[in-house]
Amino acid sequence: MSFKAAPLTGSKPDQYAQLQAQARALLQGERDRIANAANFAALVYHALPGFNWLGFYFFDGTELVVGPFQGLPACVRIPLDKGVCGAAARLRTTQRVDDVHAFPGHIACDSASRSELVIPLVRGDALIGVLDIDSPLPARFDADDQAGMEGLAAIFLEALA
Ligand code: SME
């Protein structure tokens, strides 16, 4: 692998476009889920400011189990009826939460977290897991972040195919 992450420039959508190109290059030619998830989490966590946790929970057929991530140690298992991650997995829709304290059932793995973006990872009919991003800043994630992170999640899923 030869890969070098360059600093991102321009508008937020421009930066996500650059980051998506970097993610494609980083994952290209590798299909191992753990390897790709680990490198993906490291790339994206360090590319943009204002995150305290970014990583994966994978669905084991019953609940979500933590996968590769960057940040402090996290809750290991999350049932689908619990938390922001469970909601994203159960409803199969992105959850963008400006204030996690106002989200019923939010699971505080890191008490610093104030806002959260969780993207379901679905391939065909199958739930693979979720991509979870936490921020210590309230309302850190806007529609550009959601679109950009959904694009990144799609690149992760494509690499597994
Ligand atoms: N806050 C999440 C739990 C996972 S951690 O943030 C890493 C939730 O409510 O699902």
Side-chain angles (χ1 to χ4, degrees):
M1 182 191 83
S2 108
F3 177 82
K4 193 170 181 308
L8 307 177
T9 58
S11 69
K12 201 186 263 196
D14 285 349
Q15 293 190 29
Y16 273 107
Q18 293 156 32
L19 188 52
Q20 287 169 8
Q22 291 181 14
R24 266 193 206 92
L26 183 61
L27 305 187
Q28 191 181 25
E30 181 55 65
R31 290 170 60 177
D32 185 88
R33 185 167 84 167
I34 299 298
N36 283 347
N39 262 340
F40 179 105
L43 174 73
V44 179
Y45 182 82
H46 291 286
L48 293 164
F51 305 150
N52 60 321
W53 202 93
L54 184 149
F56 292 84
Y57 278 88
F58 291 124
F59 184 56
D60 72 353
T62 305
E63 55 193 355
L64 297 168
V65 183
V66 75
F69 66 91
Q70 300 275 308
L72 291 178
C75 322
V76 176
R77 291 177 180 272
I78 300 179
L80 293 201
D81 61 353
K82 293 272 157 54
V84 186
C85 290
R90 188 177 72 251
L91 305 170
R92 300 190 178 195
T93 55
T94 296
Q95 304 292 307
R96 179 151 56 94
V97 180
D98 285 346
D99 176 5
V100 294
H101 299 310
F103 189 95
H106 167 255
I107 302 165
C109 290
D110 180 344
S111 62
S113 298
R114 291 296 310 280
S115 57
E116 184 160 358
L117 180 65
V118 186
I119 295 151
L121 303 172
V122 177
R123 192 171 53 183
D125 277 346
L127 176 66
I128 306 292
V130 301
L131 172 64
D132 179 21
I133 308 118
D134 286 28
S135 174
L137 308 170
R140 162 65 181 77
F141 306 101
D142 63 13
D144 287 338
D145 292 297
Q146 180 173 341
M149 288 295 184
E150 286 174 346
L152 284 162
I155 289 164
F156 173 78
L157 284 171
E158 279 161 26
L160 303 182

